[in-house]
Amino acid sequence: MIYQHYTHTTIKDFTIHTDPSLLNVRFIHQFLSEESYWSEGVEKKDTKELLEDELCFGVFHKKEQIGFASVTSDFSSYAYISDVFIDKKFERQGLATWLLQCILSHPRLKLLPEWMLLTDDAHELYEKIGFKRIAGSADQMIKYNKKGA
């Protein structure tokens, strides 16, 4: 898939890129397969396919990748956010919130009426940026933009 590359920078030497050539496959695969509860044991080929098929956001401190998220979208009606993580060494600095804000404001995504995601443990993070829990579900969350509210 071809996406317009997008860069969003901030003052603390952190950068977010959607350029797939900058993504560290080894870092992403190691986290997803060994540290995440949602992708434990995922094969490296599946991680590579994710990076080819989704709109991916890498978080970098200087030139070192320290975070990641992916988005599945039709770019007209919905987006699904997944695989959001920040390296433990960089947690509690507001980077996950900033990453999500960058995703929601991406030029190809910002006007979408509906966003979805699944989480077992980060409900508060997503609620801070407007997601709401879906009644009757422990892990599904949704966010509507004004048109879809």
Side-chain angles (χ1 to χ4, degrees), residues 2 8 49 74 89 130 146 149:
I2 306 226
H8 186 100
E49 287 176 12
D74 66 356
K89 295 181 288 192
K146 290 179 181 150

Side-chain angles (χ1 to χ4, degrees), residues 95-131:
L95 297 171
T97 300
W98 177 55
L99 170 59
L100 292 164
Q101 290 167 338
C102 289
I103 291 169
L104 293 171
S105 65
H106 184 281
R108 298 266 331 265
L109 303 171
K110 66 183 177 184
L111 298 178
L112 295 177
E114 186 174 303
W115 292 80
M116 292 200 62
L117 60 86
L118 299 173
T119 185
D120 284 346
D121 62 353
H123 297 91
E124 289 180 21
L125 167 68
Y126 296 110
E127 287 169 344
K128 284 195 295 189
I129 59 166
F131 280 85

Side-chain angles (χ1 to χ4, degrees), residues 31-32 34-40 118-122 139:
F31 186 93
L32 292 177
E34 298 175 22
E35 297 183 45
S36 75
Y37 64 82
W38 62 89
S39 292
E40 186 176 357
L118 299 173
T119 185
D120 284 346
D121 62 353
D139 60 358

Side-chain angles (χ1 to χ4, degrees), residues 65-79:
Q65 186 166 1
I66 57 100
F68 179 78
S70 65
V71 175
T72 304
S73 181
D74 66 356
F75 298 103
S76 64
S77 61
Y78 79 94

